[in-house]
């Protein structure tokens, strides 16, 4: 991918293309999604890459399954079921990928050093939030959870390292 294409991919799906390829490979290796040539009706089955891109897009932008369906020509129900199964599977292996450095030297080497090289000494990560609509918000919480968009939502916050 070109630098521009790589930036566009990362902005759209919130991960690099290399991370996306790893997620596809990891999903395939762990048999979290079996791709058959045809479904029970004789239609081509859902493409694993499109399903993972759908999950990433939904996590990054908070879109509906119906929106994903219009973009991928895969039914909203297939997107919904895959989203739930795939995110649960990823959550079950999170400890393999998410962890804290063991000591202060590792903390500096793994977390702070890349930012130090970029001219951001003392920085330990980047933070972002995504607001996900809360459709069944109890009326007693409505004012507490209603944001600038005018509907109740819950903010999910993530801190990420440089890599």
């Amino acid at each position: 991918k070109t630098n521009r294409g790589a930036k566009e991919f990362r902005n759209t799906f919130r991960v690099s293309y290399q991370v996306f390829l790893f997620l596809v490979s990891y999903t395939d290796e762990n048999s979290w999604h079996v791709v058959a040539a045809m479904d029970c009706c004789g239609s081509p089955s859902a493409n694993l890459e499109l399903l993972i891109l759908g999950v990433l897009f939904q996590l990054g932008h908070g879109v509906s399954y119906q929106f994903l369906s219009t973009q991928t020509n895969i039914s909203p129900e297939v997107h919904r079921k895959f989203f739930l199964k795939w995110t649960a599977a990823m959550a079950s292996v999170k400890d393999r990928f998410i962890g804290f450095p063991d000591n202060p030297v590792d903390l500096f080497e793994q977390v702070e050093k890349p930012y130090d090289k970029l001219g951001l000494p003392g920085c330990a990560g980047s933070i972002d939030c995504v607001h996900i609509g809360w459709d069944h918000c109890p009326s007693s919480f409505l004012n507490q959870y209603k944001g600038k968009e005018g509907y109740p939502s819950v903010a999910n916050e993530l801190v990420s390292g440089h890599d």
Side-chain angles (χ1 to χ4, degrees):
K1 286 207 169 266
T2 64
N3 194 25
R4 182 176 175 201
K7 285 182 182 179
E8 188 175 332
F9 187 91
R10 187 174 182 87
N11 286 338
T12 303
F13 299 107
R14 305 291 202 248
V15 298
S16 69
Y17 187 68
Q18 290 76 22
V19 169
F20 163 69
L21 292 176
F22 170 78
L23 292 173
V24 171
S25 172
Y26 196 79
T27 301
D28 194 37
E29 289 169 8
N30 287 286
S31 301
W32 290 344
H33 178 69
V34 179
V35 180
M38 298 290 179
D39 66 12
C40 63
C41 298
S43 300
S45 69
N47 180 289
L48 176 60
E49 289 85 356
L50 284 177
L51 290 170
I52 291 176
L53 287 173
V55 170
L56 296 174
F57 193 79
Q58 185 174 28
L59 290 172
H61 300 280
V63 299
S64 68
Y65 300 116
Q66 183 62 43
F67 178 83
L68 293 176
S69 177
T70 63
Q71 300 299 308
T72 62
N73 202 28
I74 299 171
S75 78
E77 185 64 10
V78 170
H79 277 291
R80 185 189 72 78
K81 286 180 179 179
F82 182 79
F83 179 89
L84 295 173
K85 181 180 176 182
W86 191 81
T87 54
M90 287 302 291
S92 73
V93 297
K94 70 181 181 301
D95 294 335
R96 295 182 191 170
F97 303 104
I98 301 171
F100 295 103
D102 295 326
N103 57 56
V105 174
D106 287 346
L107 175 67
F108 178 75
E109 288 294 320
Q110 295 172 17
V111 178
E112 294 181 22
K113 191 173 182 178
Y115 287 102
D116 195 41
K117 288 180 180 178
L118 295 170
L120 300 167
C123 184
S126 301
I127 191 168
D128 195 11
C129 293
V130 62
H131 286 265
I132 298 178
W134 189 2
D135 293 338
H136 302 290
C137 177
S139 59
S140 59
F141 294 139
L142 188 62
N143 287 333
Q144 291 175 307
Y145 287 87
K146 185 166 45 170
K148 65 181 183 196
E149 294 83 12
Y151 58 86
S153 65
V154 178
N156 290 308
E157 183 176 81
L158 175 76
V159 177
S160 172
H162 181 66
D163 59 351

